[in-house]
Amino acid sequence: MPTDTTPSGQQSGKSGRKKGRKVRLLLIVLVLAIIGGVGYGAFWSVSTVRASFPQTKGSISLDGLSGPVDVKRDDHGIPQIYASSDEDLFMAQGYVQAQDRFYEMDVRRHMTAGRLSEMFGEGQVDNDEFLRTLGWHRTAEEEYKKTLSAETKKYLDAYAEGVNAYLAGKDGEEISLEYAALGFAGDYKPEEWTPVDSIAWLKAMAWDLRGNMQDEIDRALMTSRLGPKQIADLYPQYPYDRNKTIVQEGEYDELTETWSDGSRSTQGTGGSTQGTGGTGTGVSAAGTSTDSSALQTQLDGLYNVLEDLPEAVGVNGNGIGSNSWVVSGSHTITGKPLLANDPHLSATLPSVWYQMGLHCKAVSEKCQYDVAGYTFSGMPGVVIGHNADIAWGMTNSGVDVTDLYLEKLTGDGYQYGAKVLPFDTREETIEVSGGSSKKIVVRTTNNGPLLSDRNDELVEVGKKASVDQDAPDRGDGYGIALRWTALDPGTSMDAVFAMNRAKGWDDFREAAALFDVPSQNLTYADTEGNIGYQLPGKIPTRGAGDGSLPAPGWDTKYRWTGYIDQDELPYEYNPKRGYIVTANQAVVDQDYPYTLTKDWGYGTRAQRITSLIESKIKGGGKISTDDMRQMQMDNSSEIAKLLVPLLLKIDVDDKEVRQAQKLLEGWDYTQDADSAAAAYFNSVWRNILKLAFGNKLPKELRVEGQCLSVEPVDTTGPADEDQRVRECGKRDADQAQPDGGDRWFEVVRRIIDDEDNDWWSTPKIRNLDAADTRDELFKRAMRDARWELTAKLGKDIDTWSWGRLHRLFLENQTLGTEGPGFLQYMLNRGPWKLGGGEATVNATGWNAAGGYEVVWVPSMRMVVNLGDLDKSKWINLTGASGHAYNAHYTDQTDKWVKGELLTWSFSDKAVESGTSDTLLLKP
């Protein structure tokens, strides 16, 4: 049990003194608000609010340590831990993270285990049912028992021991303010941490980075209103001729030739020889039309279930991106590589990332680590960062590791080929705070768990749904199953530790081979001057189909046949051009012998980063750490460069619209927060998308509550006004289409010169004339944008700015969204006015279908200087602390908004120089 020898509420010194006055004022306001607004017959005192703040000075005794451990925090509360053994290092990591973020950790583990109802009541039962069906925690248990190394399990055990040492003897309010709030509703008490809780978080990360599952659903839903050619228009091929792939001079080991010379292997060990232009067409190829009511309604219902799931690190799989690039020393001021990374994830409070350093006082066989970077609260090791020899970054590769299968149900089984196979079943009990427990049965096919069982409407529809005559007899209906690599036990936790102690390129690739889920683009640099790229991951091969549409589960041809061998995955090492850029674009060109996905990002950000690097190189300059930072903050709009010259040519007769149009004259396409031109252009872009595409999509993809008068699906030719029917959208605003991302850039680019393309046609609505050509539609969009911004920002365009529309709100992900108003006021922060935008390098994402508010952000930014690691820079979205009103709750956010970076100390001398508080953990 820990024993405190200094007051447990001790705050960090320099930061505490500097911000003490502000904190005291906030606490006074807090207490007054609570006294006046809480009707629970009690109120929280200042001591209650401060009770959970971490002790950062003095000493604490921990049972289980073998030697003393120093925890040194800088004036932003970022900890650097120094120990003499691996076990002590990770035990201390668990203790320190629990000090700062245990409530966040507790919520995460309840989410991954499908146990949110135990904390938040019956409102979370549906989510728990779905997460139990996926079985993340069960898979994590299998990993711990069967696939992870003994060394990794030793570290996980030590980490859990540290967390539990922090919890020992503490009441809820001593752990976090949120527990005091939960105490009003029940007797919830945190249980001990387990190693499996740490592993399961990787499943949540993999879920949000799972690839093209959302596109798979959307394409199938589109078939209710759009034909094959129209859908193809909205999912154009990757522009290989214009936007570079990641790997341009690359190789894969197993085959003797690189694919870049035009050769193509047909003997891959994965068992599939299908190229990126694969011909599989999903369910429709097997005799079940994707416009059948079976698939349409099943997928709509599945989407509704997915939409309600809590976000782990992303927007339920949509819009997830990232930038990471590395430049060799031949192009840098230092003569050594520079590596930048900024993952694009949902804006959460606290940030999904936690900054820290893990240092052995003397690196040896007994104590192997000297590493610093970003990790997740609740997980040992460092996920992204650097050690003394190498640095690495990650971006989402987008490879297709999920497939949906339409299953034909019969009795207690499902059809597979000519047979009916029995389900694998298990019973799960969901405990509910303040309510009765609920039992569910999870049924699993050979293609994975039956997701449709989690929605009563889907079950009934599946029993009644009509399908084409070539499909199997209905039996007991149809369901949707999910095949996903992360539902098999893996070794990603082994990879984290192997990467943390890697000494060079060979070690790094060996570690990457263990990183099976999620598949990420890994960028690399080392102090010897080498740079590289590796695609890791467990990536399936398919017997038929290409994964772009749901497949028929009863057809044996559509089974996964294996996985691409690790030696055949693309990599690149010291390319002649001297840099590597990854920003979710295509990894390889069309000659690579396997299908990785049909749904790459379209390369807009990657091409812009490449242009910025090349312009510096071609100008004879050398790239500095600050140049890399400025590239991360680049706000240039590529779609504006395409559209603005056309918009300026349109003859506008309305003087108010003409006044807005003039904002675009001379605009440099930079989306700064104070730019009126950026505000107007983005509104025009949003309205172009709505008129040309959004109003033509099925209701399942449009914004909930936005209703249109549309032609019935079976109408032949244009419908009269009295024949049209009213349909209202069904999707949350931040998930609807068209979202305005770089896929939509490419859609518009493909038809921009075809002024009479059918997509430009839009019917008359109320007093607005119909549009038949591109310029007529653009003119209408410019008018609609003018009046939209007049309503939002006022008639005086001199007061307009992009930042007034494009705002960031940071919300506590539990009580900050669902709690009473006073709790939301206490826990949430913002807004901040942001620059940047969709598909810009400074990717402050927004959904054009739903509005302008920020949906995802660069969740952190870092630039690693391999010439002098102490001159590396980093920033987090929020701060080290998860405690509302702690000085480090959001103390990095203002700097993040401005594009500033903090000094990232690594050497003993630099860390000591920047230390504000030191805590001694002793046996």
Side-chain angles (χ1 to χ4, degrees):
M1 180 178 296
T3 304
D4 293 0
T5 56
T6 58
S8 62
Q10 183 74 45
Q11 286 201 70
S12 61
K14 292 181 183 177
S15 183
R17 290 191 298 270
K18 189 181 346 179
K19 300 183 180 180
R21 177 180 173 86
K22 181 178 179 182
V23 171
R24 284 194 298 273
L25 290 173
L26 287 171
L27 290 173
I28 291 169
V29 172
L30 165 67
V31 174
L32 291 175
I34 293 171
I35 293 172
V38 178
Y40 296 95
F43 65 89
W44 295 327
S45 65
V46 171
S47 62
T48 302
V49 174
R50 296 173 62 94
S52 59
F53 287 8
Q55 177 182 336
T56 59
K57 287 184 175 182
S59 63
I60 299 175
S61 296
L62 297 185
D63 291 341
L65 284 178
S66 64
V69 177
D70 295 316
V71 181
K72 301 180 180 183
R73 292 179 183 258
D74 66 13
D75 59 1
H76 284 86
I78 299 170
Q80 304 272 354
I81 300 175
Y82 291 83
S84 298
S85 74
D86 290 340
E87 291 91 334
D88 284 357
L89 189 65
F90 295 116
M91 182 179 178
Q93 184 182 15
Y95 185 88
V96 171
Q97 286 194 337
Q99 279 187 304
D100 284 335
R101 300 274 195 99
F102 182 76
Y103 176 76
E104 175 193 12
M105 293 163 57
D106 200 18
V107 171
R108 284 179 177 178
R109 67 161 162 185
H110 278 79
M111 181 186 72
T112 58
R115 297 173 53 200
L116 286 170
S117 300
E118 295 177 19
M119 296 184 75
F120 305 111
E122 61 182 0
Q124 294 298 322
V125 169
D126 289 346
N127 287 332
D128 284 347
E129 289 185 15
F130 189 80
L131 292 165
R132 294 285 184 98
T133 300
L134 288 174
W136 293 347
H137 201 268
R138 291 171 57 86
T139 304
E141 287 177 339
E142 289 188 66
E143 289 186 5
Y144 184 77
K145 293 175 182 177
K146 300 177 182 178
T147 62
L148 295 179
S149 70
E151 185 177 52
T152 293
K153 289 192 282 189
K154 179 175 66 175
Y155 298 157
L156 288 164
D157 291 343
Y159 181 90
E161 190 175 0
V163 176
N164 293 328
Y166 168 76
L167 294 177
K170 288 185 173 65
D171 294 328
E173 68 178 27
E174 296 178 272
I175 300 172
S176 180
L177 177 64
E178 287 90 340
Y179 290 120
L182 288 173
F184 287 140
D187 298 323
Y188 176 79
K189 183 175 177 62
E191 62 191 38
E192 287 199 340
W193 192 264
T194 73
V196 174
D197 294 331
S198 295
I199 301 167
W201 179 244
L202 283 174
K203 302 302 175 186
M205 185 177 79
W207 177 253
D208 282 345
L209 303 174
R210 63 192 179 271
N212 77 332
M213 182 173 163
Q214 191 57 62
D215 288 320
E216 194 172 334
I217 292 174
D218 286 358
R219 267 191 292 263
L221 289 173
M222 283 180 183
T223 59
S224 67
R225 282 210 164 269
L226 304 178
K229 182 184 181 304
Q230 291 172 305
I231 295 174
D233 285 347
L234 302 186
Y235 286 90
Q237 292 291 313
Y238 185 86
Y240 291 99
D241 59 336
R242 188 175 68 255
N243 292 346
K244 303 288 188 182
T245 58
I246 294 173
V247 176
Q248 300 169 42
E249 306 169 32
E251 306 173 16
Y252 45 96
D253 289 344
E254 190 69 20
L255 307 179
T256 57
E257 302 288 341
T258 66
W259 69 86
S260 58
D261 66 358
S263 64
R264 184 166 178 170
S265 165
T266 58
Q267 300 299 321
T269 58
S272 169
T273 59
Q274 176 180 290
T276 55
T279 59
T281 55
V283 171
S284 58
T288 301
S289 132
T290 51
D291 63 357
S292 69
S293 60
L295 186 60
Q296 286 294 310
T297 313
Q298 288 278 10
L299 289 174
D300 183 32
L302 173 59
Y303 183 84
N304 291 335
V305 174
L306 296 177
E307 192 173 50
D308 291 335
L309 284 182
E311 296 166 3
V313 296
V315 191
N316 289 333
N318 284 337
I320 301 301
S322 298
N323 302 319
S324 185
W325 67 95
V326 59
V327 180
S328 72
S330 61
H331 299 313
T332 69
I333 288 176
T334 65
K336 290 293 179 71
L338 295 171
L339 186 150
N341 198 185
D342 55 287
H344 306 155
L345 305 171
S346 288
T348 60
L349 182 61
S351 166
V352 70
W353 298 108
Y354 184 93
Q355 297 153 286
M356 71 186 324
L358 300 171
H359 308 278
C360 289
K361 294 178 180 179
V363 176
S364 64
E365 186 174 339
K366 179 183 177 183
C367 197
Q368 305 173 71
Y369 295 89
D370 188 17
V371 62
Y374 297 84
T375 189
F376 301 122
S377 303
M379 203 180 88
V382 168
V383 176
I384 295 173
H386 71 81
N387 59 31
D389 301 294
I390 75 165
W392 67 96
M394 295 185 188
T395 64
N396 191 22
S397 71
V399 299
D400 188 359
V401 295
T402 60
D403 278 344
L404 294 172
Y405 286 88
L406 185 65
E407 302 283 7
K408 183 242 175 172
L409 313 181
T410 302
D412 292 328
Y414 58 98
Q415 184 167 330
Y416 182 64
K419 299 179 180 180
V420 174
L421 302 180
F423 294 109
D424 288 332
T425 62
R426 68 177 188 271
E427 188 177 87
E428 300 267 358
T429 300
I430 298 171
E431 303 293 340
V432 183
S433 176
S436 301
S437 62
K438 181 176 182 179
K439 293 185 183 296
I440 64 169
V441 174
V442 177
R443 299 189 294 177
T444 301
T445 74
N446 58 10
N447 290 315
L450 208 59
L451 304 185
S452 49
D453 278 357
R454 302 284 69 87
N455 185 293
D456 292 339
E457 180 183 355
L458 296 188
V459 174
E460 290 303 312
V461 169
K463 290 178 179 179
K464 300 175 182 178
S466 61
V467 294
D468 288 353
Q469 60 184 2
D470 293 333
D473 292 336
R474 175 177 293 108
D476 291 334
Y478 295 87
I480 296 283
L482 171 67
R483 184 82 172 94
W484 179 33
T485 54
L487 298 184
D488 300 324
T491 56
S492 291
M493 202 69 240
D494 285 337
V496 171
F497 297 112
M499 205 165 290
N500 284 192
R501 60 177 182 259
K503 299 297 183 184
W505 175 245
D506 291 340
D507 288 348
F508 178 76
R509 291 194 72 203
E510 288 177 11
L514 299 169
F515 203 89
D516 46 13
V517 177
S519 177
Q520 298 285 286
N521 297 312
L522 298 178
T523 52
Y524 168 91
D526 62 39
T527 55
E528 297 297 316
N530 303 299
I531 65 172
Y533 163 85
Q534 176 69 58
L535 177 69
K538 193 175 182 181
I539 303 171
T541 56
R542 298 167 174 84
D546 57 17
S548 62
L549 286 170
W554 55 81
D555 190 329
T556 59
K557 296 194 301 292
Y558 285 81
R559 290 276 287 169
W560 287 5
T561 58
Y563 302 94
I564 301 175
D565 191 271
Q566 290 291 322
D567 288 335
E568 297 180 81
L569 292 174
Y571 74 89
E572 195 167 60
Y573 187 59
N574 288 333
K576 294 177 182 178
R577 64 186 181 278
Y579 61 86
I580 300 169
V581 175
T582 73
N584 317 114
Q585 78 272 38
V587 172
V588 291
D589 64 23
Q590 294 170 289
D591 290 323
Y592 182 68
Y594 298 106
T595 299
L596 296 176
T597 185
K598 301 287 286 185
D599 295 299
W600 302 114
Y602 284 81
T604 304
R605 280 179 287 111
Q607 197 61 28
R608 175 62 178 170
I609 295 166
T610 298
S611 298
L612 292 170
I613 293 171
E614 290 184 343
S615 65
K616 189 77 173 181
I617 294 171
K618 291 177 180 177
K622 296 287 187 177
I623 296 173
S624 67
T625 300
D626 196 61
D627 289 331
M628 300 284 271
R629 180 195 67 81
Q630 290 185 50
M631 292 177 192
Q632 288 178 325
M633 294 302 297
D634 182 77
N635 286 331
S636 177
S637 171
E638 298 303 299
I639 192 64
K641 294 176 185 178
L642 177 69
L643 294 184
V644 166
L646 299 175
L647 296 174
L648 289 175
K649 292 179 180 179
I650 293 174
D651 185 17
V652 175
D653 47 15
D654 185 318
K655 67 177 183 179
E656 302 287 351
V657 180
R658 172 63 185 145
Q659 184 186 30
Q661 184 187 35
K662 285 184 176 180
L663 290 172
L664 304 179
E665 295 176 358
W667 179 43
D668 64 358
Y669 314 119
T670 298
Q671 301 172 102
D672 293 333
D674 60 359
S675 171
Y680 182 59
F681 171 77
N682 281 314
S683 182
V684 173
W685 169 237
R686 177 174 185 249
N687 280 280
I688 287 172
L689 291 172
K690 178 181 177 181
L691 293 170
F693 310 104
N695 291 348
K696 299 163 188 173
L697 296 177
K699 60 182 181 293
E700 291 83 5
L701 275 69
R702 299 202 314 268
V703 175
E704 182 178 6
Q706 290 186 2
C707 302
L708 295 171
S709 177
V710 300
E711 296 180 0
V713 174
D714 56 357
T715 300
T716 302
D720 294 334
E721 189 67 31
D722 58 358
Q723 293 179 297
R724 299 170 73 86
V725 296
R726 183 173 173 81
E727 284 188 354
C728 298
K730 301 178 66 175
R731 190 166 283 190
D732 279 356
D734 62 1
Q735 305 277 308
Q737 293 293 339
D739 62 21
D742 71 348
R743 172 164 68 89
W744 293 100
F745 288 17
E746 191 63 25
V747 168
V748 170
R749 187 185 294 274
R750 297 287 178 101
I751 64 171
I752 195 68
D753 293 328
D754 183 1
E755 298 183 35
D756 297 315
N757 190 285
D758 288 343
W759 287 110
W760 301 129
S761 176
T762 188
K764 178 177 180 179
I765 299 177
R766 295 184 300 277
N767 62 334
L768 298 178
D769 294 335
D772 295 315
T773 67
R774 180 197 70 194
D775 286 354
E776 287 175 357
L777 185 140
F778 281 10
K779 185 174 183 179
R780 185 159 146 188
M782 292 169 70
R783 178 173 52 188
D784 290 352
R786 172 47 159 132
W787 300 118
E788 179 187 11
L789 294 196
T790 297
K792 291 181 181 294
L793 302 179
K795 187 174 181 180
D796 183 0
I797 64 173
D798 290 337
T799 67
W800 290 4
S801 71
W802 177 222
R804 288 181 62 197
L805 289 173
H806 192 53
R807 299 178 301 167
L808 170 67
F809 291 86
L810 293 175
E811 294 182 341
N812 176 290
Q813 292 301 291
T814 56
L815 301 179
T817 58
E818 299 295 333
F822 80 90
L823 266 180
Q824 295 188 37
Y825 175 80
M826 290 168 53
L827 298 175
N828 299 339
R829 300 291 183 270
W832 285 267
K833 298 176 182 179
L834 299 190
E838 187 66 41
T840 62
V841 182
N842 182 22
T844 55
W846 56 288
N847 187 302
Y852 304 96
E853 301 289 0
V854 176
V855 178
W856 62 85
V857 295
S859 54
M860 61 82 158
R861 299 186 185 102
M862 74 176 197
V863 180
V864 182
N865 184 331
L866 278 301
D868 184 345
L869 292 170
D870 287 330
K871 292 183 179 178
S872 300
K873 302 287 185 178
W874 62 353
I875 197 77
N876 206 351
L877 173 64
T878 59
S881 181
H883 301 288
Y885 299 99
N886 183 279
H888 306 307
Y889 191 48
T890 56
D891 63 331
Q892 296 185 51
T893 307
D894 286 344
K895 292 181 180 296
W896 177 92
V897 169
K898 296 174 185 175
E900 298 176 9
L901 299 176
L902 302 176
T903 297
W904 181 355
S905 299
F906 182 71
S907 70
D908 293 350
K909 181 179 179 181
V911 170
E912 184 62 34
S913 175
T915 295
S916 295
D917 295 351
T918 299
L919 174 68
L920 174 65
L921 301 177
K922 57 186 182 180

